[in-house]
Amino acid sequence: MSKDLRNYKLVIWRQASPQEKGGFEQYQVDGISPDTSFLEMLDILNDRLIKQNIRPIEFDSDCREGICGACGCLVNGQAHGPRQKATTCQIYMRSFENGDTITVEPWRAKAFPVIRDLVVDRSSFDRIISAGGYISVKSAKHADANAMLIPKPDADQAFDYATCIGCGACVAACPNASASLFTGAKISQFTLMPQGRVEREKRVERMVDQMDREGFGGCTNIGECEASCPKGISISAIATMKAEYLKAALSGRTESNASDGAM
Amino acid sequence: MLTVRKALTSTVGRKFIMGASGLLLVGFLFVHIATNLLLYAKTGESFNAAVARLWSLGSLVYLLELGLAALFASHIVVAITLKRGHREARPDSYRMSVSKGTVHNNPASRNMAVTGIILLVFLILHILQFRFGPGISEGYSVVINGKTERDLYRVVTEAFKNPIYVALYVAVMLFLGSHLRHGFWSAFQSLGVLAPRISKVIYALGFCLAFVLAAAFLFIPIWIYFDLGAGL
Ligand code: HEM
Ligand code: FES
């Protein structure tokens, strides 16, 4: 075992319920190995809190290997902490010096209300997806997977956009709490593929509509979303969304009521 | 349907208006500086002649002014509604907020509303001072081709004998440069025409354009105050 054990002062947002006001609390965590992950460090702290009869700190996590998008909080003012292209579960205590004060806050957005401590409600993302983030497929006989030819660059680009895990870091990092990178990535991934072209105009109309209805802010092209995205998704996705929107508006092939659920 | 109304009121649609009006305003600035470069001449003859030529268009000038006013109005009104939306989208602010490193997150981009408001206040003052400033009836007249015209050159040069105006104009032009440093590139991104390949090129072009425009306007008051044209 490593002899290099470190001590940290944690300043963490505590809020028992959506209704409660909440505030920052300080905790001392000692004897942490630098190879401990950030979330394991919180687990260790929670064990001690439970023994002291203090309500443990609530936070989301599932895969703990950067693929599910469940985890996420602001660590020292940065979405998912100090490492680029990493999720909160992928940061380790070696990123912090012995004796550091670490401030931990939940994602902040009107469309991401705090449920408890560091856990926020991201169902607004689900509603943007259900508004138009799908394609129509033939459900009869299983088709040959390679029957439809797709240019390699398009497939690669679509795949880059499809790596979005929906963690919400883009919203958290954006000074306007905009969901443009998320929505743009989801729209772009379908638009680049022939299978996604059928609902093209309706999709962008409905998804942008839903994004606005959820109360996310607009995009001012700051680029902090791209820098904070654990998958490094480019803001070109946002430009694509805007171009799609313009094309849809000019084509006239859209629907009047995007909330009726039928396409 | 994605009606025109909805297309122009969504967050995406309103940024189309911001981007389009912003770029058209940049176009206006080029027309504006083209005339104003004549202020660097040794005498006011060419400048006053250019102004007289513009006014010889008659009522068309008022139409152009109206169009320009509409451009400014749409840019500003939409900016205000967007800004309000951004504020409402994050009711509780962070205790700590640190950039994760992107060239586009800089003082220019974060303060578009601030530099915009400075430009708006300046604009009002600027129009009152020159467009509605002293004219022929106050004795500011010259004869060009046998016709009595307004001596706008004298109005401008007298204003810039006042160091306070010189300092004010220089400062505001720095803010204009800052606004365009982010704004030019941002407009293309908002209009959805930026492929990653050309994004860097447009951002660099935006810097050059902001620098050149701001510098060209900025040196006019300095030039006049120190009478640098006299040595030509
Ligand atoms: C000389 C005059 C002006 C020019 C050439 C100009 C140009 C631009 C351009 C090109 C943009 C980028 C648009 C985009 O991101 O899509 C922009 C954004 C902006 N302008 Fe102006 N502008 C001018 C005056 C003003 C004034 C007077 C105001 C305000 C009161 C203003 C407020 C803003 C704001 C707040 C933004 C940012 C919008 C956003 O990022 O969402 N501008 N401007
Ligand atoms: S827990 Fe799955 S990405 Fe972090």
Side-chain angles (χ1 to χ4, degrees), chain B residues 17-34:
Chain B
I17 304 179
M18 285 306 290
S21 60
L23 286 184
L24 288 171
L25 287 174
V26 170
F28 157 73
L29 287 183
F30 273 105
V31 176
H32 195 31
I33 193 63

Side-chain angles (χ1 to χ4, degrees), chain B residues 2-16:
Chain B
L2 184 50
T3 56
V4 173
R5 184 157 168 259
K6 193 160 92 184
L8 296 181
T9 50
S10 66
T11 49
V12 171
R14 276 181 287 161
K15 284 298 297 226
F16 289 147

Side-chain angles (χ1 to χ4, degrees), chain A residues 158-173:
Chain A
F159 188 78
D160 282 349
Y161 293 140
T163 55
C164 169
I165 51 175
C167 63
C170 45
V171 174

